[in-house]
Amino acid sequence: MFKNYFKIAFRNLVRQKGYSAINILGLAIGMTSCLLITLFVWDELSYDKFHAKSDRLYRAFLDARINNKDFLTAPTCEPMAAALQREVPEVESAARIRKIGDFTVRLGDRVFMESKFLLADSNFGQVLSLEFIDGDANHALNRPRTLIVTDEMALKYFGRTYDIVGKTLFVDNADNFEITGVVKKYPTQSHLSFDFLASMTSRPPNSEGFWISNNYFTYITIKPGASQKAVEDKLATLVEKYADPQMKEVLGAGIKQLTEAGLRYNYRLQKVTDIHLNSQLEFELAPNSSMAYVYVFGLIAVFILGIACINFMNLSTARSARRAKEVGVRKALGSNKSQLVQLFVGEAIMVSLIAMAVTIGLTEISLPYFNQFASKNISLSYLENPGLLWALLTFALVVGVTAGSYPAFFLSSFQPVKVLKGELRTGMRSGLLRSTLVIGQFAVSVILIVGTLVVFQQLQFIQDKDLGFNKERLVVLDNAWLIKQQSGFKTALLGNSNIVSASYTGGVPGKNIGNSAFIPEGGDLSKPVLLYHIYCDFDNIRTLGFNIKEGRDFSIEYPTDSNYAVVINESAARLLGYPNPIGRKISTPFGQGGSRELKIIGMVKDFHFESLHQEIRPLVFRMGFGRDDHFSNLVIRIHGPLPEVIGQIEKVWSQFSGGQPFGYYFVDENINHLYRAEQTLGKVFGLFAGLGIFIACLGLLGLAAYTAEQRTKEIGVRKVMGATDANIVGLLSKDFAKLVSIAILVAWPV
């Protein structure tokens, strides 16, 4: 019986080539889209699950409240890891990493600027997984100036991943670091990416034992059976034990008094596997995505597959007149309804299996382009993962049964007497459910179109939004600290007519900008305000194009500006409670050089120095020229042809850098990088929305073709009676236009 069903199904597919092609292509595109989205979502959900102890792996974060605003940051304090291991029995191990900035790495006459250079505790590999290719995992970072490199960096510097343990690299123009291990580079599904891990003891901490300064990322594994809440409760006890006396010393009030004043200072834990999709902390190591995007893409996959299945249903029921006599004859000869259902569902499954074969081919062809499009590194390996083939086969069967169920029950319900007498009329006009499906199909398509337009309008808004300063044609040399004669280098650059202005600065819009506690004039030490701050030279405000609203800019004509003057933004003035801020003062309760009183000499209009996801934060500019440490960035405003000007800057760089690598980026490109998740969302959303609409139109084409075929005699009579081609097209399009119009009306409110 099943062999007979297969023959009949195959003959029908061959006989109706156009119908079969539309069905197979529609299902194949729908299943390919669904498969690609599933791979995308699976990739997003798999972040950091490669760690051996991922189910017990956590990262600590600061949970504070200052000035009636929550302040949550990924970095934590220096002594926390040791205290957790020493005093919390539920903690199995704790380790820290620290990102100080970019490092120069030299091997012979080859020198590179490396941005993925981290300091790590010696037990880092006991907390987060490290797969060693060479070296001793237990002792790789237990001495100063020791270094673990990834296999990718080993190939870059030595051309091999073996026989390099014991060799040295000259780091930061200061020390030779001994390579003590080679590890496999972390997969892309990780919130943490590094090329070099140097021992934490290589750079002594500047906040040793200080619980109220946060510059370290602290990771812990808890023991099997231990709870996150138990560790958090004991962590709160540690804060009371160690941070309370430090707060009393610095702020004049302990945690209890600060809590009564509405402040909060605590540390909590988050699962490392939740960071990529569920962490929106400040000062993350890299921009994260959002679980909302996963839900959106999952919904799009369901929509597209639904559209493809509706196509199959519509086309199957539309051609029911062709199968009516077959059903009548079969029933007259003794076939029952269940046998007919099996026949028609079997045909649908055959179409689905053929479509799945096409889907596998389309996926293999499109996956490299999709990876590039969505900034992913997804791969499919059928031989290494035989379960994948079974999953695809099951998927095809489910799609076939889903798409074929309604047509099967619809066709098998025909009464043989009426069919054989020619009393059964089927087609477009009698298909109420089919019309409903078309409306639903195009309503979903319209929703996808509108959603795509909204996403791209939002991205366009981001591009066109006035940030409060001129972000165009700003070049940043982010390794300016390598220049020993910074003032001479800047002077030489300004001698070029293509250089409008230049400024040394510690913070650039689009990059993480630090913050510190300040005390308003006459304020209480126990009630500090948190202000983001940028150390800069005299030319920073002018170079970046910030607008002075009140007061004045820093000026070399006022010697005291170097140490005792600040410029604030409007948000800072509001937070400080200074309606007329010029001449008012703020002070630093602690920091380098101890407490210092600072005079506000100017106020700039608010500008966005972070992503538009964040409200504009209170900000203070503070002079830093003449401090012992060099500025990390030089911002240059240029005009003229970009390649030519960059070449001129590099030429001056080579005269002052002593052979150090030249690196730069543009401020506008860096700001755009903040919206990487939104840009990916927009591209992927637009791609699959377009495919969904194409599938819907493909089905509509099939329906129109069958409708025209059923009305061949009517069309012939009308043309004999004088109807034009336009009249005929209008007649055939009228029913579909009504359905699409209803679909638009349904979709708009949604």
Side-chain angles (χ1 to χ4, degrees):
M1 181 176 66
F2 290 106
K3 182 179 179 181
N4 182 50
Y5 287 169
F6 175 80
K7 286 182 178 180
I8 294 170
F10 181 75
R11 288 170 184 168
N12 279 322
L13 289 177
V14 173
R15 187 181 302 118
Q16 302 293 328
K17 294 182 178 64
Y19 157 80
S20 301
I22 290 175
N23 262 341
I24 291 171
L25 182 60
L27 280 178
I29 294 175
M31 289 194 290
T32 301
S33 301
C34 191
L35 180 57
L36 288 175
I37 291 176
T38 300
L39 293 172
F40 180 91
V41 170
W42 184 260
D43 185 85
E44 288 286 290
L45 294 173
S46 65
Y47 266 66
D48 293 300
K49 290 185 178 178
F50 63 90
H51 293 289
K53 303 173 184 177
S54 62
D55 59 326
R56 299 185 283 119
L57 181 59
Y58 293 83
R59 185 181 70 178
F61 68 94
L62 174 67
D63 177 18
R65 186 171 179 81
I66 302 174
N67 309 124
N68 297 318
K69 290 187 178 181
D70 290 328
F71 183 63
L72 297 95
T73 70
T76 55
C77 60
E78 182 272 336
M80 179 192 295
L84 283 168
Q85 277 198 254
R86 185 177 62 245
E87 303 184 38
V88 180
E90 289 85 356
V91 172
E92 182 177 86
S93 189
R96 304 162 302 165
I97 62 171
R98 188 179 182 192
K99 181 174 176 60
I100 300 178
D102 297 346
F103 281 74
T104 56
V105 179
R106 184 187 296 271
L107 179 65
D109 59 352
R110 301 168 62 217
V111 59
F112 300 94
M113 180 62 65
E114 302 291 357
S115 60
K116 296 182 179 180
F117 197 109
L118 302 176
L119 303 178
D121 281 329
S122 58
N123 63 336
F124 178 85
Q126 299 171 18
V127 183
L128 292 95
S129 295
L130 289 177
E131 186 176 347
F132 273 78
I133 298 173
D134 195 7
D136 183 355
N138 296 319
H139 303 94
L141 296 176
N142 63 351
R143 293 181 287 113
R145 293 184 295 283
T146 51
L147 190 66
I148 292 174
V149 301
T150 63
D151 50 353
E152 188 176 284
M153 290 299 104
L155 289 170
K156 176 179 176 179
Y157 283 87
F158 297 96
R160 60 185 186 276
T161 60
Y162 58 91
D163 194 29
I164 67 169
V165 170
K167 296 187 179 299
T168 60
L169 293 172
F170 194 58
V171 175
D172 204 20
N173 297 320
D175 297 299
N176 281 312
F177 277 63
E178 179 189 351
I179 298 175
T180 53
V182 180
V183 297
K184 282 193 174 181
K185 187 176 178 67
Y186 273 178
T188 55
Q189 298 93 346
S190 175
H191 79 285
L192 172 63
S193 179
F194 65 87
D195 292 325
F196 300 86
L197 286 179
S199 55
M200 188 70 73
T201 53
S202 303
R203 291 289 187 273
N206 55 13
S207 57
E208 189 172 4
F210 210 45
W211 279 76
I212 52 178
S213 177
N214 298 284
N215 300 295
Y216 295 78
F217 295 85
T218 304
Y219 296 86
I220 70 168
T221 51
I222 65 175
K223 293 178 180 177
S227 71
Q228 176 181 345
K229 186 177 184 306
V231 177
E232 287 183 332
D233 290 342
K234 293 183 179 179
L235 184 53
T237 303
L238 292 178
V239 172
E240 292 181 10
K241 178 179 179 181
Y242 293 107
D244 186 73
Q246 293 177 1
M247 288 184 175
K248 287 179 179 177
E249 180 182 352
V250 174
L251 301 175
I255 291 178
K256 183 177 180 181
Q257 292 89 337
L258 294 175
T259 302
E260 292 173 352
L263 279 72
R264 182 177 73 247
Y265 193 89
N266 203 357
Y267 294 100
R268 292 168 51 202
L269 304 179
Q270 61 182 166
K271 291 202 74 170
V272 167
T273 51
D274 290 340
I275 291 175
H276 178 64
L277 293 176
N278 296 292
S279 178
Q280 301 299 325
L281 303 179
E282 291 194 66
F283 309 117
E284 285 279 9
L285 286 165
N288 290 324
S289 187
S290 170
M291 183 61 77
Y293 299 156
V294 172
Y295 294 141
V296 168
F297 288 134
L299 196 60
I300 291 174
V302 173
F303 280 170
I304 292 177
L305 191 60
I307 290 172
C309 290
I310 288 173
N311 272 355
F312 186 94
M313 295 177 188
N314 283 339
L315 291 173
S316 297
T317 54
R319 61 192 290 271
S320 56
R322 289 178 172 271
R323 308 296 297 272
K325 289 183 179 180
E326 177 190 347
V327 171
V329 171
R330 286 181 176 278
K331 282 195 170 183
L333 294 174
S335 293
N336 56 40
K337 186 172 182 176
S338 64
Q339 290 174 322
L340 292 172
V341 168
Q342 291 175 19
L343 169 64
F344 294 125
V345 169
E347 287 186 15
I349 290 175
M350 177 180 287
V351 171
S352 181
L353 289 173
I354 296 172
M356 177 53 71
V358 177
T359 293
I360 293 174
L362 289 176
T363 302
E364 288 295 330
I365 293 170
S366 60
L367 194 55
Y369 302 100
F370 180 75
N371 279 332
Q372 185 177 6
F373 193 71
S375 303
K376 290 291 182 182
N377 190 27
I378 302 169
S379 61
L380 284 174
S381 179
Y382 304 104
L383 296 178
E384 294 179 6
N385 188 10
L388 179 61
L389 290 174
W390 285 109
L392 293 176
L393 178 61
T394 303
F395 179 49
L397 293 174
V398 170
V399 171
V401 172
T402 302
S405 295
Y406 168 67
F409 284 103
F410 176 78
L411 293 170
S412 63
S413 66
F414 290 164
Q415 297 180 17
V417 175
K418 290 185 178 181
V419 170
L420 296 176
K421 285 184 177 181
E423 296 177 1
L424 186 66
R425 300 290 297 168
T426 61
M428 182 68 187
R429 292 178 179 175
S430 61
L432 177 61
L433 179 57
R434 187 165 63 254
S435 299
T436 303
L437 291 174
V438 171
I439 291 171
Q441 185 182 46
F442 274 90
V444 170
S445 299
V446 172
I447 291 170
L448 290 175
I449 292 171
V450 174
T452 302
L453 292 175
V454 168
V455 169
F456 279 98
Q457 282 181 340
Q458 187 72 3
L459 290 173
Q460 192 62 45
F461 170 79
I462 290 171
Q463 292 286 337
D464 299 339
K465 170 70 175 175
D466 181 7
L467 301 181
F469 71 100
N470 184 6
K471 65 179 180 179
E472 307 298 332
R473 305 184 74 82
L474 281 175
V475 180
V476 181
L477 307 186
D478 57 352
N479 53 353
W481 55 273
L482 293 171
I483 300 292
K484 295 181 179 180
Q485 301 175 4
Q486 288 196 337
S487 59
F489 176 58
K490 178 180 172 182
T491 301
L493 285 174
L494 292 174
N496 186 334
S497 60
N498 287 321
I499 306 296
V500 179
S501 60
S503 169
Y504 284 110
T505 178
V508 180
K511 290 278 190 178
N512 283 337
I513 293 177
N515 52 57
S516 291
F518 291 82
I519 305 298
E521 186 177 3
D524 189 343
L525 279 175
S526 64
K527 297 180 180 180
V529 297
L530 198 66
L531 301 179
Y532 290 75
H533 63 84
I534 295 177
Y535 282 103
C536 60
D537 67 8
F538 288 100
D539 300 313
N540 186 258
I541 292 174
R542 180 172 62 89
T543 299
L544 276 86
F546 304 133
N547 299 307
I548 295 285
K549 184 176 181 180
E550 294 182 24
R552 64 175 177 85
D553 193 357
F554 297 113
S555 174
I556 200 168
E557 297 178 1
Y558 295 86
T560 56
D561 282 2
S562 296
N563 295 307
Y564 300 102
V566 293
V567 175
I568 63 174
N569 67 352
E570 294 172 295
S571 293
R574 286 192 294 270
L575 180 62
L576 291 165
Y578 294 168
N580 299 301
I582 308 305
R584 302 294 297 272
K585 295 179 180 179
I586 57 175
S587 59
T588 57
F590 58 90
Q592 291 182 346
S595 178
R596 179 175 295 179
E597 195 172 57
L598 305 168
K599 182 180 178 181
I600 299 172
I601 62 169
M603 180 175 70
V604 299
K605 291 183 178 180
D606 277 343
F607 64 93
H608 293 273
F609 57 91
E610 300 174 291
S611 103
L612 294 178
H613 294 294
Q614 305 286 351
E615 62 181 5
I616 296 177
R617 317 291 187 104
L619 179 72
V620 56
F621 293 91
R622 185 176 176 183
M623 290 292 296
F625 198 82
R627 297 165 67 221
D628 291 336
D629 54 315
H630 290 297
F631 283 105
S632 55
N633 306 290
L634 177 64
V635 184
I636 308 169
R637 184 169 294 281
I638 66 175
H639 67 70
L642 288 179
E644 179 182 333
V645 180
I646 295 299
Q648 293 167 351
I649 294 173
E650 185 174 9
K651 185 176 181 180
V652 178
W653 171 274
S654 64
Q655 297 172 5
F656 283 83
S657 66
Q660 301 299 334
F662 176 70
Y664 68 94
Y665 65 86
F666 292 96
V667 169
D668 56 349
E669 292 179 353
N670 192 61
I671 290 174
N672 289 337
H673 183 70
L674 298 175
Y675 308 102
R676 184 177 61 184
E678 286 78 6
Q679 291 163 355
T680 300
L681 171 68
K683 291 188 292 186
V684 176
F685 200 107
L687 170 66
F688 289 112
L691 288 174
I693 295 162
F694 174 76
I695 296 169
C697 292
L698 193 66
L700 199 61
L701 172 66
L703 280 178
Y706 276 103
T707 301
E709 185 180 347
Q710 288 181 1
R711 301 174 70 177
T712 302
K713 290 182 180 180
E714 177 189 349
I715 292 170
V717 172
R718 287 181 180 275
K719 296 200 77 172
V720 169
M721 299 298 292
T724 64
D725 290 348
N727 296 141
I728 300 301
V729 171
L731 175 69
L732 296 177
S733 302
K734 182 174 63 176
D735 291 333
F736 297 108
K738 288 179 181 177
L739 296 179
V740 173
S741 298
I742 295 171
I744 292 173
L745 293 175
V746 171
W748 276 351
V750 178

